[in-house]
Amino acid sequence: NGNGNGNGTNSSSSRVGLPAYHDRGSLATLLSRASPFANETGALPIGEFEPIVDTGNVNSNSSSNGVLSSARVLVVGAGGLGCEILKNLAMSNIPNVDVIDLDSIDVTNLNRQFLFRHSDVGSSKAQVAAKFINTRCPWMNVTAHHGKIQDKGTEFYSQFQCIISGLDNVEARRWLNATVCGLVELDEDGDPDPSTIIPIVDGGTEGFSGQARVILPRITSCFECSLDAFPPQKSFPLCTVAETPRLPEHCIAYAFTLQWPREFPDKKLDADSPEDMKWVYEKALERSRQYNISGVTYMLTMGVVKNIIPAVASTNALVSAVCVQEAVKLLTFCSQTLNTYMMYMGSTGVYTHTFIYEKKEDCPVCSSAVRKMTVSPSMTLNELLHTLREGDLRLKSPSVTAADSGKTLYMQKPPALEKATRS
């Protein structure tokens, strides 16, 4: 603080008479000037840029950022990436934001998820993040949704002009991708109706590496098109875990897959509960000492149980900035849209490169192609489901319907329907 008042803020005289929203971000200078690099000049043109009229009136929210002031943006995930995305949206003066997240705040989140404090541990990430942003940035209107993204219907997702994903697991991203792709309506010629396309900006980080991509459902490649780039989640052979552990991960897996059900047969392990995780850590530590295995830590326990990807704050900051920048371009057409994938590799230097992720012609989500499978007449329905789960489609909970009659042969969910179709 150059004024030496010691309280970490500007001197009171510099703020006299200024409105509470004086320090909010504004892109009016950018959006009010014509650009030789407008969206229609890029390799992925989706709209024509029309500069706004900048009145210079800070009290007029409608004139400060044009379409950004009225657009609704959904942020999926309020973790390390989500916190940064919400901050960047606030600083870009994009006020109408919804955020959805299932998780609760854990003490291990506090070193990088800066919207949370120690007193927030155990509370909903989405609710605390929304409250923090709304309080700190009074021009913002962030609405929180605590729960699974799968619990929201298509009518919820169809109300947004852009969706920014900061999810940390493949299955949730697949579900979101399929849902938004399913919102696109096709005309008589099979071409997508532009008014029903909701862009997805997908961000992800792992250590010093990160990526951001733009998905225009039914136009560009979707997340499912790139599924081969994500190896199946690592698992450990149960016999090794139970009989011959060699790694600290084996000890942890033993504690939460075998010891927990024996000790608490009527209670499901809560990976977000500090008490449950402490129990697993202590049991894993005991087993590691029995087999003279070093390396069992609380952080590693969290990583194995929750399949946590290592997070670095600077990587989250960089990738989130790209995500919000692409959202601004998609909403305003002020610049060329990323086509379609950006990778950041911070472990080898400050280096990024972009490339086009090609659309998969037989993608089961974004293409209209019908995939044919040849199966043995003797194959059981259970064997078919196993093939769908373990094959290149990697379907998590496949259901089967007869194409000719439309009869449902087997439905995984809800439980009542699963029981009825199983018999």
Side-chain angles (χ1 to χ4, degrees):
N1 183 353
N3 297 293
N5 57 13
N7 61 6
T9 62
N10 295 328
S11 63
S12 57
S13 61
S14 66
R15 288 183 173 268
V16 172
L18 294 181
Y21 46 76
H22 176 76
D23 289 333
R24 71 185 176 199
S26 175
L27 301 177
T29 301
L30 175 68
L31 300 179
S32 62
R33 298 179 179 181
S35 170
F37 306 107
N39 187 274
E40 62 270 21
T41 67
L44 188 62
I46 58 172
E48 186 174 348
F49 176 53
E50 297 181 7
I52 65 171
V53 177
D54 181 17
T55 63
N57 181 8
V58 73
N59 294 292
S60 176
N61 194 47
S62 61
S63 66
S64 62
N65 268 11
V67 69
L68 298 182
S69 300
S70 58
R72 289 196 67 184
V73 175
L74 174 64
V75 177
V76 185
L81 205 54
C83 286
E84 292 277 359
I85 289 170
L86 288 169
K87 177 259 294 179
N88 290 340
L89 289 170
M91 293 297 97
S92 300
N93 195 9
I94 302 177
N96 303 307
V97 177
D98 287 56
V99 58
I100 182 169
D101 198 305
L102 171 67
D103 287 346
S104 300
I105 300 166
D106 185 80
V107 68
T108 58
N109 302 146
L110 302 181
N111 69 329
R112 63 192 181 282
Q113 297 175 22
F114 54 87
L115 301 183
F116 310 139
R117 301 294 180 266
H118 197 278
S119 57
D120 298 322
V121 171
S123 301
S124 161
K125 283 187 176 182
Q127 292 171 359
V128 172
K131 181 180 179 181
F132 188 102
I133 292 289
N134 288 334
T135 302
R136 181 66 181 84
C137 308
W139 61 90
M140 292 296 291
N141 179 28
V142 182
T143 303
H145 306 273
H146 178 71
K148 294 181 179 180
I149 59 173
Q150 294 88 342
D151 291 341
K152 298 291 184 181
T154 54
E155 69 282 353
F156 173 76
Y157 294 100
S158 62
Q159 63 186 317
F160 300 100
Q161 283 72 57
C162 184
I163 296 175
I164 308 178
S165 169
L167 291 166
D168 59 1
N169 75 84
V170 172
E171 292 306 322
R173 291 158 86 179
R174 292 179 71 185
W175 186 92
L176 179 66
N177 173 76
T179 299
V180 179
C181 285
L183 295 175
V184 179
E185 297 178 4
L186 305 178
D187 61 21
E188 295 177 353
D189 298 324
D191 297 321
D193 178 358
S195 65
T196 62
I197 296 175
I198 301 175
I200 304 174
V201 183
D202 179 73
T205 64
E206 182 174 354
F208 289 100
S209 299
Q211 57 86 21
R213 69 184 299 182
V214 170
I215 298 173
L216 300 178
R218 296 276 184 171
I219 295 179
T220 67
S221 62
C222 72
F223 186 83
E224 196 77 15
C225 292
S226 58
L227 188 60
D228 293 342
F230 296 87
Q233 184 175 330
K234 183 178 179 181
S235 60
F236 305 105
L238 192 59
C239 57
T240 301
V241 169
E243 304 295 339
T244 55
R246 298 184 298 273
L247 301 172
E249 290 86 350
H250 294 161
C251 300
I252 297 167
Y254 180 84
F256 81 87
T257 59
L258 297 175
Q259 285 185 282
W260 179 273
R262 281 202 296 261
E263 193 80 18
F264 308 100
D266 299 323
K267 180 183 178 183
K268 184 179 179 181
L269 176 66
D270 182 1
D272 292 319
S273 166
E275 292 78 16
D276 289 5
M277 294 308 299
K278 182 182 178 184
W279 186 93
V280 172
Y281 163 63
E282 290 175 347
K283 293 299 180 182
L285 194 61
E286 289 178 9
R287 185 164 177 82
S288 70
R289 287 168 178 164
Q290 286 179 345
Y291 288 87
N292 197 27
I293 299 172
S294 61
V296 173
T297 64
Y298 183 78
M299 286 299 296
L300 181 62
T301 302
M302 294 280 291
V304 172
V305 175
K306 301 178 71 173
N307 193 31
I308 291 176
I309 297 171
V312 175
S314 58
T315 309
N316 287 336
L318 189 149
V319 171
S320 68
V322 175
C323 288
V324 173
Q325 176 179 262
E326 290 306 318
V328 169
K329 293 191 288 184
L330 287 164
L331 293 169
T332 65
F333 311 134
C334 66
S335 187
Q336 298 174 0
T337 300
L338 171 66
N339 186 25
T340 50
Y341 201 100
M342 184 281 295
M343 289 193 67
Y344 165 68
M345 290 161 285
S347 58
T348 57
V350 185
Y351 173 69
T352 66
H353 79 281
T354 62
F355 61 93
I356 302 173
Y357 217 115
E358 296 294 344
K359 193 172 182 178
K360 203 172 181 179
E361 293 301 324
D362 62 346
C363 175
V365 172
C366 69
S367 76
S368 301
V370 176
R371 181 176 296 205
K372 295 182 179 180
M373 289 180 59
T374 302
V375 298
S376 168
S378 62
M379 176 181 279
T380 65
L381 183 58
N382 188 51
E383 290 172 340
L384 175 60
L385 294 174
H386 179 78
T387 301
L388 294 174
R389 285 192 295 265
E390 301 299 325
D392 62 325
L393 290 175
R394 286 164 59 180
L395 301 180
K396 189 174 180 64
S397 301
S399 298
V400 182
T401 303
D404 53 354
S405 64
K407 179 183 178 181
T408 300
L409 301 178
Y410 182 72
M411 193 70 92
Q412 296 269 7
K413 295 177 181 179
L417 196 53
E418 191 277 337
K419 183 177 180 180
T421 55
R422 179 161 31 105
S423 58

